[in-house]
Amino acid sequence: MRPLEFTGGILSLIDQTKLPLKKKIVKCRTYEETAKAIKDMIVRGAPAIGVTAAYGIAIGAAAIKTISNEEFFKKLELICQTLRNTRPTAVNLFWAIDRVYQKAFRNKELSVKDIKQIITDEAYLIEKEDIETNKKIGIAGNEIIQANWTILTHCNAGALATTEYGTALSVIRFAHWAGKNIQVFADETRPYLQGARLTAWELQQDHIPVTLICDNMAGCFMKQGLIHCVIVGADRIALNGDTANKIGTYSVAVLAKENNIPFYVAAPFSTIDLKTETGEQIPIEERKPEEVTHIQGIRIAPEGIKVRNPAFDVTPACYITGIITERGILYPPYQESLFHAEAQRMQRL
Ligand code: MRU
């Protein structure tokens, strides 16, 4: 399952606001349309919005009509800024934009035509690497999954949130493919219902046994001994391991600790923000009140009610058993294990 495809200079996205009832494709032909698709959550999930933004830059750059490098870079900066201003929490967005911009800038002496090609190639590379990364996360995470386990997940950290396989759902997929007879409990994930609409659908498509529950049921099932492990994705991981993920993740983590259930975060290194020391510094997106007062366009709360709608929360590192990455599983203290993994990578380069 692939949520996005870039061909002929056009980015085609599965409209995730319509799933699972309709499979509609949205085509982005300009960088403004691409930015809107991210903001409106037609595409969502940290790695997927990073890849989308990279293609947004490629689309925007291709449309710049100049042969002057100075003018080209001025316009390129505007494109990058527009894409940056879409969603504030998932660091993969900024990571991908910076990576593409810097690649272009390192080649600023070339012709505008060649720089445009370099930008498109870099976006393709980010997508290709994401697929490989998710596979590695799945393989690494599979090691900790025991036969006949029931795994709880929150939100959608699946193929739809990445370019293929997913992060948390990649672990689940690899355990399923290994014949471990696992099953999944999917939190519905109010208010946007990524669990009910996307995770439940995605796993069902792959014939992985899945049971949908309301968010407030998780604790009850944990207490009954029905959950053996929790695996979630991440939008931004601070240096100390504090992790921003979909609102409600923190409550699940606290419940897991109380019930002695291992709680894992699955994420690529591009989700680790080396510039952010603790979770307190992570910007949390606040979305519109209608997502809380309405379900699928139908009002469920009184007119004029005051609403709060933070899209993410931060789970302190002390609740996280391990972080499953493409470079293996990191354990606390996270600052140390992160630096160690980074040092090993530098050595290999
Ligand atoms: O608001 P969303 O749907 O973009 O939030 C998505 C999540 O919180 C995911 O868990 C996270 O991005 C990881 S996706 C592999």
Side-chain angles (χ1 to χ4, degrees):
M1 188 179 305
R2 314 278 310 273
L4 54 93
E5 192 181 16
F6 186 70
T7 37
I10 297 169
L11 182 65
S12 301
L13 301 170
I14 296 181
D15 184 347
Q16 298 192 34
T17 66
K18 301 279 187 291
L19 285 174
L21 303 179
K22 271 189 211 153
K23 196 165 172 198
K24 184 183 157 206
I25 302 294
V26 168
K27 289 194 184 291
C28 302
R29 294 181 170 84
T30 65
Y31 78 88
E32 290 97 335
E33 283 174 0
T34 314
K36 190 168 180 324
I38 297 172
K39 209 176 174 79
D40 293 348
M41 290 174 69
I42 283 165
V43 60
R44 31 69 48 202
I49 63 175
V51 175
T52 300
Y55 282 129
I57 302 174
I59 293 170
I64 298 174
K65 290 191 176 36
T66 181
I67 51 160
S68 146
N69 287 38
E70 199 185 326
E71 203 185 334
F72 176 79
F73 273 97
K74 259 193 204 147
K75 292 195 168 149
L76 193 66
E77 272 166 35
L78 173 76
I79 292 166
C80 291
Q81 202 45 49
T82 307
L83 288 158
R84 271 177 212 284
N85 289 341
T86 51
R87 298 194 70 189
T89 304
V91 77
N92 307 60
L93 178 79
F94 307 97
W95 170 86
I97 293 170
D98 289 349
R99 179 168 153 175
V100 173
Y101 183 85
Q102 278 161 22
K103 180 82 191 208
F105 197 72
R106 281 198 301 275
N107 289 283
K108 63 180 187 302
E109 311 304 340
L110 298 181
S111 71
V112 166
K113 184 168 171 265
D114 286 348
I115 300 172
K116 286 179 180 178
Q117 189 57 51
I118 283 169
I119 289 174
T120 304
D121 291 348
E122 192 67 9
Y124 270 126
L125 191 62
I126 291 176
E127 178 181 1
K128 213 172 125 227
E129 284 177 10
D130 186 60
I131 298 171
E132 281 312 304
T133 295
N134 299 333
K135 241 195 234 177
K136 287 181 186 160
I137 289 173
I139 292 165
N142 180 30
E143 297 294 312
I144 54 146
I145 307 295
Q146 292 179 22
N148 304 315
W149 265 12
T150 296
I151 300 159
L152 179 89
T153 191
H154 189 75
C155 192
N156 173 265
L160 289 165
T162 60
T163 45
E164 216 176 333
Y165 302 106
T167 56
L169 294 199
S170 181
V171 176
I172 285 166
R173 284 193 159 90
F174 275 86
H176 172 75
W177 292 331
K180 290 188 177 170
N181 190 35
I182 53 147
Q183 56 165 313
V184 178
F185 269 38
D187 279 349
E188 66 170 343
T189 320
R190 270 284 282 156
Y192 213 72
L193 302 172
Q194 288 94 332
R197 297 189 303 103
L198 309 176
T199 298
W201 180 74
E202 200 183 306
L203 293 176
Q204 208 179 46
Q205 295 286 305
D206 275 5
H207 307 287
I208 299 173
V210 55
T211 302
L212 176 64
I213 60 168
C214 297
D215 300 326
N216 49 8
M217 297 172 186
C220 167
F221 289 124
M222 286 183 187
K223 194 155 177 285
Q224 288 172 15
L226 295 180
I227 310 289
H228 302 100
C229 175
V230 179
I231 311 178
V232 298
D235 287 85
R236 194 185 292 229
I237 301 173
L239 267 186
N240 69 346
D242 290 354
T243 295
N245 190 50
K246 181 53 54 194
I247 190 77
T249 303
Y250 168 58
S251 321
V252 175
V254 174
L255 283 167
K257 188 162 187 145
E258 173 67 19
N259 289 281
N260 290 316
I261 297 166
F263 178 96
Y264 286 92
V265 169
F269 257 75
S270 52
T271 304
I272 297 163
D273 183 1
L274 299 173
K275 289 187 216 125
T276 298
E277 277 178 33
T278 74
E280 275 163 41
Q281 293 150 20
I282 300 177
I284 300 294
E285 175 182 12
E286 182 96 17
R287 293 188 63 86
K288 57 184 185 200
E290 287 74 17
E291 289 178 3
V292 176
T293 55
H294 292 65
I295 294 184
Q296 302 281 287
I298 297 171
R299 175 173 277 281
I300 53 152
E303 294 273 2
I305 194 76
K306 211 168 126 191
V307 170
R308 285 293 312 272
N309 186 16
F312 303 96
D313 60 26
V314 174
T315 299
C318 61
Y319 292 102
I320 302 170
T321 311
I323 302 176
I324 306 164
T325 76
E326 69 273 33
R327 298 186 212 155
I329 304 176
L330 311 180
Y331 291 100
Y334 290 110
Q335 184 137 357
E336 251 170 55
S337 47
L338 280 171
F339 277 131
H340 183 67
E342 191 59 12
Q344 274 188 332
R345 187 182 68 96
M346 298 299 271
Q347 256 175 12
R348 262 181 259 127
L349 288 179

